[in-house]
């Protein structure tokens, strides 16, 4: 018989024997020797022998304290044996850590385990079994090795990294999106915890990949240029409410002067606040509270200010129309080129119009690219106030009364929804690394009958910030002190753990805090509120580490899209079918889904040809509207053709005109309910929609649509966004098809779903099962679901989609309270039998949303 060991000596133990010895040692209970036992009168707990004649020798009572003291060694030995036996057999050292502290290399690298567990982890590792020695490439010499910075730069040739990339890459699923390497979702199971964090806690998302375009010019020119390209179905970006710089506006941008065609993407417009000595700011302050900045200054400062009194008077007498203004436009990176092109076109047309009015007057607009100059963090959830208050420390030199009121109330706010929508707050903070680790501010519950004595309103004074200055951003592009310098200062403290006191040489960083809300005002969905934090570039990790340290969850693209879905808000680009980025998104998703379908065997995938699904990979909006369907990239490749017909047509002379007529467009915005209500009252619906569109264009000073656009064609090519709620069980999925039903069939569904109490049946009834097997004709298709899932906030299936405006008007006339439609769930819902089920739903338009 061959020996079990290589050398046959038998000295080396096998792995099985080692494990057996380890288990035996772990399960051995230590015994105290008799020589080491020293009894005293206090530790005697009674006789240890029992008389033969029964219980006569037992004491009548036992002193528990003396009994435990006498047997302390045995009790402690028993506990240690149980603990060692359990730990050695069922878990490793790294398994004792919570999931968010576990690391991939912790099983073989003790440095990936916290210090308190390293000894145990080192004992668990077998030193004889190392990594298999393979044929590795020879290491480069010291002179030829690439530095860490050069190596990272080499890896960013085809995409860019965010400043927090390394932190995210260790914990998130990464993907190449829009020229960046971005986090898609955490590697741990965090779908529901992330939603709970956005509703009850706090969650942060690094949105530094967003593009920022800076416009400089006089106020009238900027206002007209923005009005030409921004959505007229909502507030104007040039209104006094936003032009003062006290609020940020969330709106949509179109191709210059082409509304309702040419939808590009959502944008955020922020105006730089006017100087404190401007007439409009002084009038605003006089209406509220006088500015106390100069009241606290010493007499020496007043003397110095008196020297420039005449100059201040000259600036104050300068009309606001001649004051140079600055505007930031924050947009999605996928639509940056289209947004920039639209702004350039609007600026050119605006400058030409002003020059025709006054040829002697010089007017200009400067357009700058601020990508890479600032970092953006989105912190959502009711605890975002406490997280920001604990991580940020404003400088003590800030004497603004409005900011003092805001910062004093900041902690006790239950949520950021208590502030006005889009409120902008600017201030300076000290280096957050000085007080690391931070502590969340504690909320102090006010008395029941207590009314807040101070109310903070948005104002230009509150929004003042040095972040608008390019020289300040350039100066702060790199922190003055590295982490090792701060650690050296921290090591010299007498009391370890004490925060460092800011010194004169430490950096003071200007930041912008913008209130952000995701809410649908006319929906039963739950709103999500938080803040947008804008900081200079180079400081992302300094702020990010402090914001995450106190338990704030970190989300990726999936979590950001889920927040909009739970709030009932359309998400760009997947929920805006006529936007610029939708075709790119739909093509990429169709390619991915088709590749997954091709990899499955025929018996394990649905047969779309048998099911009668003509467009399984992407929504056929042209077919829904009755337009000729263009060939897409994936269809052209499968057909064997050398090329494919591009969906991007050359622009025609008329706005929104193609060879087949007007373009497909989406009716959206806060005025949708009133527009549809007005159209329902008119007999000729085409003339009504043309009248409403021209009315909205007139609000922005745009000309009416050309005569080449017929009213009927404009109505037939219009889509409207809708929200879909399930009537009963089930949940819609992406690309679900929406069918229209007749009145008789709708009544059958109502009888099958309604219970005697007026609600819906919890279980599927026999009549409902029969109705779900009826296949409707393809001619009854009226739309698609762009995003569908089970809504955690509503506790039922919920979806967002789009249908033609003509069909919605017909459905509005068909039902008195609810629109009667039902959804054909395609194979993307795999648990349904044969992937061919029908569900009855309620459908309403997406109207007002928070701006």
């Amino acid at each position: 018989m061959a020996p079990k060991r290589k050398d046959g000596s038998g000295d080396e133990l096998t792995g099985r024997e080692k494990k057996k010895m380890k288990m035996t040692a772990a399960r051995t209970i230590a015994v105290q020797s008799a020589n080491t036992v020293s009894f005293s009168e206090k530790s005697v707990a009674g006789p240890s022998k029992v008389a033969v004649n029964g219980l006569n020798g037992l004491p009548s009572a036992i002193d528990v304290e003396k009994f435990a003291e006498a047997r302390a060694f045995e009790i402690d030995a028993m506990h240690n044996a149980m603990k060692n036996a359990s730990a050695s057999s069922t878990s490793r050292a790294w398994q004792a850590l919570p999931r968010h502290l576990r690391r991939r290399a912790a099983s073989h690298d003790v440095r990936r385990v916290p210090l308190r567990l390293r000894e145990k982890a080192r004992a668990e590792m077998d030193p004889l079994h190392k990594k298999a020695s393979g044929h590795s490439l020879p290491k480069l010499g010291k002179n030829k090795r690439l530095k860490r910075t050069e190596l990272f730069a080499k890896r960013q040739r085809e995409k860019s990294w965010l400043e927090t990339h390394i932190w995210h890459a260790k914990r998130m699923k990464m993907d190449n999106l829009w020229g960046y390497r971005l986090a898609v979702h955490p590697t741990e199971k965090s779908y529901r915890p992330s939603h709970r964090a956005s509703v009850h806690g706090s969650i942060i998302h690094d949105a530094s990949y967003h593009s920022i375009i800076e416009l400089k010019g006089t106020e009238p020119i900027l206002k007209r240029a923005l009005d030409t390209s921004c959505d007229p179905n909502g507030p104007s970006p040039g209104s006094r409410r936003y032009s003062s710089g006290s609020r940020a506006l969330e709106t949509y941008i179109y191709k210059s002067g082409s509304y309702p065609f040419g939808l590009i993407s959502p944008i955020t417009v922020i105006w730089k606040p006017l100087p404190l000595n401007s007439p409009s700011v002084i009038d605003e302050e006089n209406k509220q509270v006088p500015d106390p900045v100069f009241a606290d200054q010493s007499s020496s400062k007043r003397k110095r200010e008196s020297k420039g009194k005449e100059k201040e008077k000259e600036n104050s007498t300068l009309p606001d129309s001649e004051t140079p203004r600055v505007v930031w436009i924050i947009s999605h990176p996928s639509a940056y080129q289209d947004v920039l092109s639209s702004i350039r076109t609007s600026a050119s047309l605006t400058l030409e119009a002003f020059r025709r009015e006054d040829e002697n007057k010089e007017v200009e607009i400067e357009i700058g690219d601020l990508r890479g100059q600032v970092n953006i963090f989105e912190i959502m959830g009711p605890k975002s106030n406490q997280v920001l208050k604990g991580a940020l420390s404003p400088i003590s030199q800030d004497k603004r009364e409005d900011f003092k009121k805001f910062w004093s109330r900041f902690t006790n706010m239950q949520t950021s929804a208590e502030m006005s929508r889009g409120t902008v707050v600017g201030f300076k903070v000290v280096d957050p690394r000085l007080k690391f680790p931070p502590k969340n501010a504690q909320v102090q519950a006010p008395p029941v009958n207590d009314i807040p004595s101070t109310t903070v309103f948005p104002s230009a004074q509150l929004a003042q910030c040095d972040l608008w200055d390019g020289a300040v951003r350039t100066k702060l592009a790199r922190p003055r002190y590295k982490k090792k310098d701060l650690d050296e200062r921290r090591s010299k403290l007498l009391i370890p753990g004490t925060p460092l006191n800011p010194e004169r040489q430490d950096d003071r960083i200007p930041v912008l805090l913008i209130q952000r809300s995701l809410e649908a005002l006319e929906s039963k969905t739950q709103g999500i509120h938080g803040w947008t934090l804008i900081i200079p570039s180079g400081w992302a990790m300094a702020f990010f580490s402090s914001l995450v340290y106190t338990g704030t969850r970190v989300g990726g693209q999936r979590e950001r899209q889920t927040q909009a879905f739970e709030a009932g808000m359309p998400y760009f680009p997947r929920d805006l079918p006529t936007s610029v980025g939708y075709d790119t998104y739909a093509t990429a998703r169709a390619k991915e889904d088709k590749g997954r379908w091709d990899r499955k065997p025929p018996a394990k995938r649905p047969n779309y040809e048998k099911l009668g699904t003509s467009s399984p990979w992407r929504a056929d909006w042209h077919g829904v509207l009755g337009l000729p369907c263009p060939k897409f990239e994936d269809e052209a490749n499968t057909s064997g053709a050398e090329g494919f017909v591009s969906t991007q047509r050359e622009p025609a002379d008329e706005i929104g005109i193609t060879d087949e007529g007007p373009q497909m467009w989406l009716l959206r915005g806060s005025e949708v309910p009133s527009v549809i209500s007005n159209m329902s009252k008119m007999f000729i619906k085409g003339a009504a929609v043309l009248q409403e569109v021209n009315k909205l264009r007139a609000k922005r000073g745009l000309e009416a649509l050309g005569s080449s656009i017929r009213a009927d064609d404009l109505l037939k090519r219009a889509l409207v966004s809708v929200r879909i709620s399930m009537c009963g069980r089930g949940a819609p999925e992406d690309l679900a098809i929406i069918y229209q039903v007749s009145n008789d069939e709708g009544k059958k569904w109502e009888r099958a779903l309604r219970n005697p109490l007026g609600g819906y049946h919890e279980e599927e009834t026999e009549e409902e099962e029969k109705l779900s097997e009826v296949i409707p004709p393809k001619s009854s298709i009226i739309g698609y679901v762009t995003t569908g899932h089970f809504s955690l906030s509503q506790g039922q299936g919920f979806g967002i989609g789009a249908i033609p405006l003509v069909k919605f008007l017909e459905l509005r006339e068909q039902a008195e309270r609810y629109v009667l439609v039902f959804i054909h769930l395609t194979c993307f819902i795999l648990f349904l039998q044969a992937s061919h089920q029908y569900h009855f739903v309620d459908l309403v338009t997406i109207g007002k949303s928070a701006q």
Side-chain angles (χ1 to χ4, degrees), residues 739-741 745 771-781 822 824 836 838:
Y739 290 88
Q740 182 181 3
V741 298
E745 192 171 358
L771 289 173
S772 63
E773 297 175 356
V774 178
I775 302 177
K778 292 184 179 180
S779 58
S780 59
I781 298 176
F822 65 94
H824 168 206
H836 199 65
Y838 299 89

Side-chain angles (χ1 to χ4, degrees), residues 814-832:
Q814 181 183 9
E816 296 180 358
R817 293 187 59 186
Y818 298 98
V819 179
L820 305 182
V821 298
F822 65 94
I823 293 180
H824 168 206
L825 300 178
T826 62
C827 73
F828 296 105
I829 301 181
L830 301 178
F831 57 82
L832 295 180

Side-chain angles (χ1 to χ4, degrees), residues 80 136 210 257 316 335 424 437 473 485 487 521 530 717 776 817 820:
N80 291 336
S136 59
H210 278 77
S316 62
V424 179
R473 296 195 301 268
D485 300 330
D487 291 341
L521 303 182
R717 286 164 171 78
R817 293 187 59 186
L820 305 182

Side-chain angles (χ1 to χ4, degrees), residues 250 380 416-417 419 421-422 515-519 528-530 569 850-851:
E250 294 183 0
M380 306 299 292
S416 66
M419 296 291 296
R421 300 297 181 262
Q515 196 277 343
R516 182 170 181 260
S517 292
L518 297 174
E519 59 181 349
I528 300 176
H529 310 277
M569 300 282 293
Q851 296 290 345

Side-chain angles (χ1 to χ4, degrees), residues 79-205:
H79 278 284
N80 291 336
M82 293 171 60
K83 184 178 180 181
N84 294 335
S86 176
S88 62
S89 60
T90 60
S91 64
R92 298 278 299 275
W94 57 270
Q95 290 177 319
L97 298 172
R99 291 188 178 274
H100 69 280
L101 291 179
R102 296 181 184 179
R103 297 294 177 266
R104 176 182 55 83
S107 60
H108 61 271
D109 190 354
V110 294
R111 294 174 298 177
R112 297 296 183 180
V113 181
L115 191 61
R116 59 183 176 85
L117 296 175
R118 285 184 184 176
E119 290 298 330
K120 182 180 179 182
R122 189 176 289 106
E124 292 174 350
M125 295 181 183
D126 191 353
L128 299 178
H129 295 80
K130 301 293 183 182
K131 292 183 178 179
S133 58
H135 299 283
S136 59
L137 297 176
K139 295 184 178 180
L140 298 175
K142 291 184 178 181
N143 297 332
K144 296 182 180 180
R145 290 178 186 174
L146 292 177
K147 294 183 179 179
R148 192 167 184 257
T149 305
E150 297 176 356
L151 181 61
F152 288 165
K154 185 178 179 181
R155 295 168 60 184
Q156 299 182 52
R157 291 178 178 176
E158 298 180 356
K159 71 273 186 184
S160 299
W161 288 2
L162 303 182
E163 294 183 15
T164 59
H165 169 80
I166 296 179
W167 192 98
H168 283 87
K170 295 178 180 179
R171 302 163 178 85
M172 314 279 276
K173 168 66 177 177
M174 310 296 289
D175 196 3
N176 296 331
L177 299 171
W178 315 304
Y180 294 89
R181 186 71 174 175
L182 302 179
V184 180
H185 60 82
T187 53
E188 61 179 349
K189 297 180 180 179
S190 62
Y191 182 81
R192 288 176 181 266
S194 297
H195 170 70
R196 285 195 294 266
S198 62
V199 176
H200 303 291
S202 59
I203 183 171
I204 187 173
H205 173 72

Side-chain angles (χ1 to χ4, degrees), residues 776-792:
K778 292 184 179 180
S779 58
S780 59
I781 298 176
I782 62 172
Y784 291 88
V785 176
T786 55
T787 301
H789 203 267
F790 183 84
S791 176
L792 298 176

